Amino acid sequence: MNSPKPSVSLALFRSGIDTQQEPVIYLRSDSPVCRAEGFRSQSRVRVSTVDESVIATLCVVNPVSLKENGNWIEPGQAAVSEAAWRMLKLSGGEKASITHTKAVDSVTYVRGKLYGKTFTKAGLKAIVDDVVAGRYTDIQIAAFVAACTSSNLSVEETIFMTEAMVDAGQRLTWSKQPVLDKHCIGGLPGNRTTPIVVAIVAACGLIIPKTSSRAITSPAGTADTMSALTPVDLSLEEITAVVEKEGGCIVWGGAVNLSPADDLFIRVERALNLDSEGQLVASVISKKLAAGSTHVVVDIPFGATAKMREYSAAQMLKSRLEEVGHRLGLTVKCLLTNGDQPVGWGVGPSLEALDILSVLKNESHAPNDLRERALTIAGELLEMGGASVLGQGYTLAEQTLRSGRAWQKFEAICLAQGGLFEPKVGEHCHNILAQRSGVLTYINNRFVSKLAKLLGAPNSMGAGIRFKVKLGEKVEKGDLLLSLFAETTGELAYALEFLDGHPDEILIGDELV
Amino acid sequence: MNSPKPSVSLALFRSGIDTQQEPVIYLRSDSPVCRAEGFRSQSRVRVSTVDESVIATLCVVNPVSLKENGNWIEPGQAAVSEAAWRMLKLSGGEKASITHTKAVDSVTYVRGKLYGKTFTKAGLKAIVDDVVAGRYTDIQIAAFVAACTSSNLSVEETIFMTEAMVDAGQRLTWSKQPVLDKHCIGGLPGNRTTPIVVAIVAACGLIIPKTSSRAITSPAGTADTMSALTPVDLSLEEITAVVEKEGGCIVWGGAVNLSPADDLFIRVERALNLDSEGQLVASVISKKLAAGSTHVVVDIPFGATAKMREYSAAQMLKSRLEEVGHRLGLTVKCLLTNGDQPVGWGVGPSLEALDILSVLKNESHAPNDLRERALTIAGELLEMGGASVLGQGYTLAEQTLRSGRAWQKFEAICLAQGGLFEPKVGEHCHNILAQRSGVLTYINNRFVSKLAKLLGAPNSMGAGIRFKVKLGEKVEKGDLLLSLFAETTGELAYALEFLDGHPDEILIGDELV
């Protein structure tokens, strides 16, 4: 049986419609290709030019409405969304064929997992490869993410997934070893130790090529915060040059295609405010392996409103990370840390960036909790990397910070990455005052994150919260508790409405006698 | 704290862009509302005119591209997709305000379920209400569907979900009782007994107001097949009139807002090829309760490649359906039936409609398996409804069919619904011949469904498969096994390519001695 292959081609042009990561093609319903191929809206179709090919979502457009709107798509043409324009590397007028896509076979494995089966190595590889190739719809990625959350991944499944994620992208190699790295599992607003840790470790002569993610469920990831200070979207060549010169970098991992599946999963995880243990472990370890790291310290904050609520769950994650790392040749050391309240004063990219600068510059108002956490992690890394004898890492880290060598190194890294910027906070500000006198007894981290996100973080760099008080500190009625910052009045209004509706998430109690 | 409410309004017009069920609004990135509110693409926004309001997905459009495309969205305007045009009941030029939406709190319950918690009654009600109000994105619905699949719903959860689904829509009441109904859990291509059953039961003087779904994972649902024969999108008033006059109807349930959540879940379940036991039970029972039914027969086919593969699973579903029905005041009787191969000759809306007509007209080539299954179900209903004594239902059903009274009743119902159409099969046909002599030993139902879907079913009414041979029948090399029908050459080619790649899904074996 031979397959007749119809081949009708259309001239592509740029619609200017922004659909985020999703490539979309807009086709007249009376176009010959639409009629011949039996296309319907929301179908997934393959769009192929001479040089490039993507799978896109189809939107069929009614020619009657088009006629009323100046016939902006003419017969023989098809419009593409901004993502499709980029992915197909178009300049306008290129001819493309539009054809049916093959059914995505690997969705069978997602379904199987939801029905209680175990993922095989081949199954996870097929899923990850299909996701990276853009063959999954958002609905399918969401089902995969939910399947991994619901019946959690075993150690074997996590290892398979990690390997598949590493294989699906680039892998960096470094001429010197050990290659150090750190990671925080997140969930604690403002816990932005990475830039300080990298500066200290690199200042002590060790290699620490740090790639970071954008926020998953938080109002800022390290890559978001660092982008308030320096360019983070570096190419592989640029990263290599920065690390060769300065020993360290702090860049966005997504820009260099390290474990690219991770960023695709994260987009959906963010929309669902979900990230499961198995995916968390695969995400962390795959990024570290792809970055060529040999030794990693992982910060696991736990507390009633942190990502890890229970000590036992934090311990389980610790052992899972250390085991999967070990099985794949990576030395992992996890630190369980206090997660009762936000770290530093600021929450949101620019506000956190200001905290980082004040710690690095040893300023008097620098947040002491952020400083202590960074020194602890840096100390561990200095010992793992052999820059310090066991037990002396913290002291070396503290000396490096206090002497100004960490700040000099941070400046040098930023300049090597393309410049050091002044962080700007949102121009719309609203102060929240204490309604009574007493002691600050409770801050819900999840509430703080949601509030900062409603203010516009992380996409609005200047949006977020600046705290004035820490848990256990005394306040008088009318004292400033915190300030809200937004880049638009709409977002500020929306956040205030949310705050009004949730009076019990930041509490002032009676003073302890 | 007061919330400043910015209010900028834009003139809406029809883009003609078909995005299926999803309402989309296209906004210039330089529009004042976009800038003031800090909107980004893919945000969910509330679009409110004086009379109506929907939550829509936002697509921001670049004014530079717009200028090149004849400025089809002018400053002060916003374009809407076909779904948004319908839902907002627009005629063009209406002013609308576009504002941020509230965070959807009920997603917390979906997340909780994925992390192993049990759904509460209030939680499921909040989820179902939010889905019906259009507050969930496809990603969020997918996570909910996956959560229900993965850790299956308990009896209590299923009851809560069923009640929430009934409450979210209209509920029919009938002046006479009992009100009969039937349902098939699906998974068996061509198993289209409903129209025959309704005709027989109504011809015997009982009330059977049948509402059916569109296909979930199959190439045709009863509503799809019936729409090849008669209008099925009837209003509540029209349905009532048909049933008052003829005692029965066969309509699409979605058109009358009975358990509207079901149709929204089904769209995502179809994309994932998933429907879980809990959701299946809630779907069936909620539709029946909303339709005002008192007695229901449910057909549960089981077989190696049916939806129910194991007798034990079919038994479990039977007892779950009967229990949930009983708890909610509905008498349910489940029949476990053979699911080894497709039923009738045709698979796909028009091809199945032709089988139905031949059974009703007592034609010599009518498929006997379809006839027998319909008589068995009708017989049970006649006994439940008191039209026949116990043990005599099948005989009464057979007499009603053979006498032509069922066919007369079917014609009358179709005419009351708006007309009886001639089903049309796709104009592009390809015959598949036996490659060897022997006996037909195996047909994979799932493969048959997928093949029919690739041919374009159910959206292309004339697309599908017509079998010529049943399991156990002898064939000679070169005999016609089956014919493929499509409405476009593209779909036919794609299906043939798929068939070529899967040679072992329809097997001819050695003749048994």
Side-chain angles (χ1 to χ4, degrees), chain A residues 225-307:
Chain A
T225 297
M226 277 305 292
S227 66
L229 292 166
T230 190
V232 295
D233 294 13
L234 273 62
S235 70
L236 182 51
E237 293 70 31
E238 291 167 333
I239 292 173
T240 310
V242 172
V243 176
E244 295 280 327
K245 183 155 182 282
E246 300 297 343
C249 68
I250 310 138
V251 298
W252 179 47
V256 286
N257 204 35
L258 299 178
S259 189
D262 193 41
D263 297 289
L264 298 165
F265 294 141
I266 280 174
R267 183 171 58 89
V268 171
E269 287 165 21
R270 190 197 300 212
L272 293 169
N273 211 0
L274 263 189
D275 48 347
S276 67
E277 187 191 275
Q279 283 198 307
L280 187 57
V281 172
S283 168
V284 173
I285 306 290
S286 70
K287 288 283 189 203
K288 302 307 163 199
L289 286 171
S293 307
T294 60
H295 296 75
V296 189
V297 170
V298 180
D299 178 8
I300 305 180
F302 71 96
T305 61
K307 182 181 283 178

Side-chain angles (χ1 to χ4, degrees), chain A residues 105-111 113 117-133 135-136 143-145 147-149 151-168 261 265 276 278-279 282:
Chain A
D105 283 338
S106 68
V107 177
T108 306
Y109 302 113
V110 178
R111 248 189 323 270
K113 180 71 180 172
K117 285 192 194 168
T118 301
F119 279 130
T120 60
K121 182 171 175 132
L124 277 166
K125 176 150 181 55
I127 292 168
V128 169
D129 287 350
D130 282 338
V131 168
V132 171
R135 297 190 196 106
Y136 268 47
F144 174 68
V145 166
C148 292
T149 303
S151 84
N152 218 333
L153 302 181
S154 68
V155 172
E156 292 304 320
E157 288 176 310
T158 308
I159 289 171
F160 296 154
M161 175 123 143
T162 306
E163 289 176 316
M165 287 170 73
V166 172
D167 289 348
F265 294 141
S276 67
Q279 283 198 307

Side-chain angles (χ1 to χ4, degrees), chain A residues 1-6 13-20 22 26 35-38 40-42 59-62 65 69 72 82 100-103 105 107 111 114-115 138-140 142-143 146 149-151 268 271-276 430 432 450 456 459-460 488-491 493-494 496-497 499-500, chain B residues 1-6 13-20 22 26 35-38 40-42 59-62 65 69 72 82 100-103 105 107 111 114-115 138-140 142-143 146 149-151 268 271-276 430 432 450 456 459-460 488-491 493-494 496-497 499-500:
Chain A
M1 287 177 285
N2 284 316
S3 314
K5 283 272 177 198
F13 73 95
R14 184 174 188 171
S15 68
I17 298 175
D18 176 7
T19 53
Q20 299 263 57
E22 189 182 17
Y26 302 88
R35 289 210 309 271
E37 297 270 322
R40 284 173 294 275
S41 266
Q42 305 296 96
C59 279
V60 171
V61 191
N62 177 354
S65 295
N69 302 331
W72 67 279
E82 298 294 87
H100 287 273
T101 52
K102 302 237 177 209
D105 283 338
V107 177
R111 248 189 323 270
L114 286 169
Y115 282 123
D138 283 357
I139 287 176
Q140 290 166 332
T149 303
S150 187
S151 84
V268 171
L272 293 169
N273 211 0
L274 263 189
D275 48 347
S276 67
H430 188 103
I432 307 294
K450 198 157 180 178
N459 292 28
S460 298
T488 70
T489 53
E491 286 163 314
Y494 190 41
L496 283 170
E497 194 180 326
L499 186 63
D500 272 350
Chain B
M1 286 178 285
N2 284 316
S3 315
K5 283 272 181 199
F13 73 95
R14 185 175 187 169
S15 69
I17 299 175
D18 177 8
T19 52
Q20 300 263 58
E22 189 183 15
Y26 302 88
R35 289 209 311 270
E37 296 271 321
R40 285 172 292 275
S41 266
Q42 304 298 94
C59 279
V60 170
V61 191
N62 176 353
S65 296
N69 301 331
W72 67 279
E82 297 295 85
H100 287 274
T101 54
K102 301 235 176 210
D105 283 338
V107 176
R111 248 188 325 268
L114 286 169
Y115 283 124
D138 282 358
I139 287 176
Q140 290 166 332
T149 304
S150 188
S151 83
V268 171
L272 293 169
N273 211 0
L274 264 189
D275 47 348
S276 67
H430 188 103
I432 306 295
K450 197 157 181 179
N459 291 28
S460 297
T488 69
T489 53
E491 286 164 312
Y494 188 42
L496 283 170
E497 194 180 324
L499 187 62
D500 272 352

Side-chain angles (χ1 to χ4, degrees), chain A residues 399-415:
Chain A
Q399 287 165 352
T400 309
L401 181 64
R402 193 152 35 82
S403 67
R405 282 186 289 131
W407 167 235
Q408 288 161 21
K409 177 54 77 177
F410 185 78
E411 273 190 301
I413 290 172
C414 288
L415 291 176

